[in-house]
Amino acid sequence: MNKLLLIILNCCLGSFFMGFCLGQMNVISSDVYNVYKIDDTFTKGLMQSLLTIGGGLGSISASILMGLFSRRKSLQITDLFGTMAILISFMDESKYALLTSRFFVGVVLGLNGVLVPVYINEMSPKEKAGFLGTMNQLCITLGILTTFLMSYFQDVTLPIPFYKMMLYIPIIPCILRACALSSIFKYETPAYCAKNHLNQQLQKVVEMIYQEKAEKMYEQFQSQQKSTERRITLNQLFSQKYKQRLFIGISLASLQQLGGINGIMFYSSSIFDQVTGQASQKVFYLNLIVGFIGVFTALLATIIIEQFGRKPILKYGTLWCFISLLMLTFLMSNSIGNTTFGKYSIIISIFSYLFGFGFSLGPLLFIYLTEILPDLGISASGLMNWMSGGLVAQMFPVIASYDISYCFALFSIFNLIAYLIIQNKVVETKGLDKETVDKYFENQKFDYIPYQEAYQEERFR
């Protein structure tokens, strides 16, 4: 288990890369705008939107990459591409080189956003899939927190300008992961080995993961070789077999972003500026708390996910987000938000929303999607996730220019819709393999909870 955890954490260096790249512009945007002579609103918007456009392209490309290469090689190719994307910003100190770099960094974020959850899901024993799956979100939040902590060095004398250091740091996790996958952790996932009849590799990886249960699990994976699903086409994805699951995946992936997380993460500094009267020291500490909340809730998710399952945490976490945003809308829409009590309440409501998101839709969404969807469905959901995030990033300042409370009102409505979909459409998948999940979605005739308990009792006896 210790070696498996190291393999998962090595894979999650891609998640750290994602978090750092998502948070870095919050810290260095003013320096970048000055150095690269970016003074128009359109180009400033491109700094964020190119990241999300690239992310959407990367998400849909991940399915193609996994169809051509193994899971491990797909991760290595992603790291190579990530290294090249960072190096573009070395080539020329022009805004065009930086914008090009941001776009290709976005592609790498989209690739990692799909490949990392798929790799973790296929590498994890079902009884540990939830715990290990939360490592993805934990490393994303650690990446974001690192950018906030790095801002401490903004006024310190360094060998290179601070903004350059922040642009170049993401190359480190790319190189580290690629090297480790080539030397120390040369494992393909059991599902991939079974699908491609790589029996020697299957034996090796099963022994590493399951240890004393290795022989039994090796026979089980071998027996699944004939039934293991082959790569599906787009027409098959929209067939009756996957229609309900695809609806769940695309709707929740979109609503995760439309629910406001990036609206708050991208513009938290400006919101805190407004609340604190532009007290920079207070804004710094408030942003630091945002980062720590993300890490704490991701750690909390590792504890509760296997105790309560997927659906209850998704449902009640989303309801929590809805109530927090409703409070924020009320506070920002009337004069109470201008009082000292109101300002403190606004900050508490933002923290409350981040707490609810951080242990539910944040870490659990793509864990759940890898359990119900094939690779192409996960990529399609990832595409909608990035497109929705880009829409929020572009529209938030426009709507906020009229009245910022309108933004939070919309976010709360989207969280309510997500709650209703989770309540009525999402089914529990804790402890079940994809074959069993397929059977449920295909007929939906058996008594689900007793069936699940009987299945887990037989499988883990």
Side-chain angles (χ1 to χ4, degrees):
M1 182 61 188
N2 290 335
K3 188 170 185 179
L4 177 60
L5 182 58
L6 289 175
I7 291 170
I8 298 301
L9 289 174
N10 177 65
C11 176
C12 287
L13 285 172
S15 308
F16 182 88
F17 175 94
M18 180 185 293
F20 194 95
C21 291
L22 288 172
Q24 65 186 171
M25 278 297 163
N26 266 346
V27 177
I28 62 171
S29 58
S30 58
D31 290 339
V32 167
Y33 296 155
N34 289 332
V35 172
Y36 290 89
K37 296 181 174 58
I38 299 171
D39 51 13
D40 59 296
T41 306
F42 177 75
T43 308
K44 288 179 180 179
L46 279 178
M47 282 293 175
Q48 293 294 0
S49 60
L50 280 175
L51 206 65
T52 57
I53 293 167
L57 179 61
S59 291
I60 205 66
S61 300
S63 175
I64 300 170
L65 200 62
M66 287 188 287
L68 296 172
F69 303 98
S70 70
R71 307 310 200 213
R72 183 173 69 93
K73 287 181 179 176
S74 295
L75 290 170
Q76 290 174 302
I77 292 168
T78 299
D79 289 330
L80 176 62
F81 202 67
T83 302
M84 292 170 60
I86 300 299
L87 287 175
I88 291 173
S89 61
F90 280 76
M91 293 167 52
D92 182 21
E93 281 198 4
S94 75
K95 64 181 179 182
Y96 302 107
L98 182 60
L99 289 169
T100 303
S101 175
R102 290 288 285 175
F103 171 74
F104 286 116
V105 164
V107 173
V108 177
L109 299 189
L111 288 168
N112 274 313
V114 175
L115 292 173
V116 171
V118 168
Y119 185 87
I120 294 173
N121 177 264
E122 293 187 0
M123 191 64 82
S124 305
K126 283 300 166 187
E127 65 270 27
K128 296 292 183 183
F131 164 73
L132 293 173
T134 57
M135 295 297 108
N136 177 36
Q137 183 68 16
L138 175 61
C139 288
I140 292 174
T141 57
L142 283 171
I144 294 171
L145 176 60
T146 301
T147 63
F148 292 141
L149 291 172
M150 290 292 291
S151 65
Y152 174 81
F153 299 99
Q154 199 156 8
D155 299 321
V156 176
T157 303
L158 299 167
I160 62 171
F162 176 74
Y163 77 90
K164 280 191 176 181
M165 182 181 71
M166 290 292 286
L167 288 173
Y168 300 160
I169 281 176
I171 204 171
I172 297 173
C174 291
I175 294 171
L176 288 177
R177 187 174 71 173
C179 291
L181 288 169
S182 301
S183 56
I184 306 170
F185 303 129
K186 299 169 69 173
Y187 294 99
E188 299 295 349
T189 67
Y192 176 83
C193 293
K195 184 187 295 186
N196 293 276
H197 304 280
L198 303 174
N199 292 331
Q200 275 191 320
Q201 291 189 46
L202 177 60
Q203 178 95 38
K204 183 180 176 183
V205 70
V206 165
E207 285 176 357
M208 183 274 296
I209 295 173
Y210 296 96
Q211 298 173 359
E212 68 275 3
K213 296 181 181 178
E215 187 176 345
K216 179 181 177 181
M217 294 307 300
Y218 176 75
E219 291 173 0
Q220 185 172 321
F221 278 113
Q222 275 199 318
S223 69
Q224 290 175 356
Q225 284 180 343
K226 291 182 180 179
S227 61
T228 301
E229 184 183 72
R230 296 187 179 275
R231 180 173 164 78
I232 69 165
T233 64
L234 194 60
N235 285 338
Q236 289 173 320
L237 184 63
F238 286 97
S239 68
Q240 188 64 33
K241 179 178 180 180
Y242 293 108
K243 187 169 66 174
Q244 182 179 344
R245 282 179 275 182
L246 186 62
F247 169 77
I248 293 171
I250 287 177
S251 59
L252 290 186
S254 301
L255 289 165
Q256 186 205 52
Q257 294 297 322
L258 294 174
I261 184 60
N262 277 339
I264 289 177
M265 292 304 296
F266 284 164
Y267 299 100
S268 61
S269 294
S270 59
I271 295 171
F272 292 147
D273 267 341
Q274 182 181 340
V275 171
T276 62
Q278 297 185 327
S280 58
Q281 194 73 9
K282 290 181 180 179
V283 171
F284 168 76
Y285 286 118
L286 288 172
N287 277 328
L288 211 56
I289 293 172
V290 167
F292 278 114
I293 288 174
V295 173
F296 172 76
T297 51
L299 287 170
L300 177 65
T302 66
I303 298 170
I304 65 175
I305 186 171
E306 295 303 341
Q307 294 182 6
F308 300 102
R310 281 54 160 160
K311 182 171 180 175
I313 300 174
L314 284 170
K315 183 170 69 171
Y316 294 117
T318 305
L319 184 61
W320 187 313
C321 290
F322 165 69
I323 294 170
S324 300
L325 288 168
L326 210 59
M327 286 291 297
L328 198 53
T329 303
F330 171 75
L331 292 165
M332 299 290 275
S333 63
N334 59 66
S335 57
I336 193 172
N338 297 321
T339 65
T340 302
F341 170 78
K343 290 176 180 179
Y344 280 116
S345 299
I346 287 170
I347 292 170
I348 291 169
S349 296
I350 290 174
F351 289 165
S352 175
Y353 164 77
L354 292 172
F355 183 86
F357 180 88
F359 72 81
S360 59
L361 271 177
L364 263 66
L365 176 64
F366 277 90
I367 294 175
Y368 185 74
L369 297 190
T370 57
E371 293 174 343
I372 67 171
L373 285 170
D375 296 346
L376 186 59
I378 299 167
S379 288
S381 301
L383 172 63
M384 295 305 298
N385 186 262
W386 282 102
M387 289 177 64
S388 301
L391 180 64
V392 170
Q394 287 295 311
M395 295 307 297
F396 184 92
V398 176
I399 299 173
S401 66
Y402 292 97
D403 190 329
I404 196 170
S405 66
Y406 294 168
C407 295
F408 300 118
L410 284 171
F411 294 157
S412 64
I413 291 169
F414 287 128
N415 274 278
L416 178 61
I417 294 170
Y419 170 80
L420 294 173
I421 290 173
I422 293 166
Q423 172 68 27
N424 295 295
K425 297 293 184 180
V426 167
V427 297
E428 185 58 70
T429 56
K430 175 186 171 184
L432 304 181
D433 57 24
K434 279 198 172 182
E435 187 178 357
T436 310
V437 172
D438 281 345
K439 288 178 181 176
Y440 175 75
F441 277 103
E442 284 170 16
N443 56 60
Q444 302 187 35
K445 290 179 181 176
F446 52 78
D447 190 353
Y448 184 68
I449 296 300
Y451 179 89
Q452 181 187 337
E453 290 174 351
Y455 177 80
Q456 291 187 74
E457 183 182 350
E458 174 63 26
R459 190 164 187 267
F460 303 120
R461 183 175 295 170

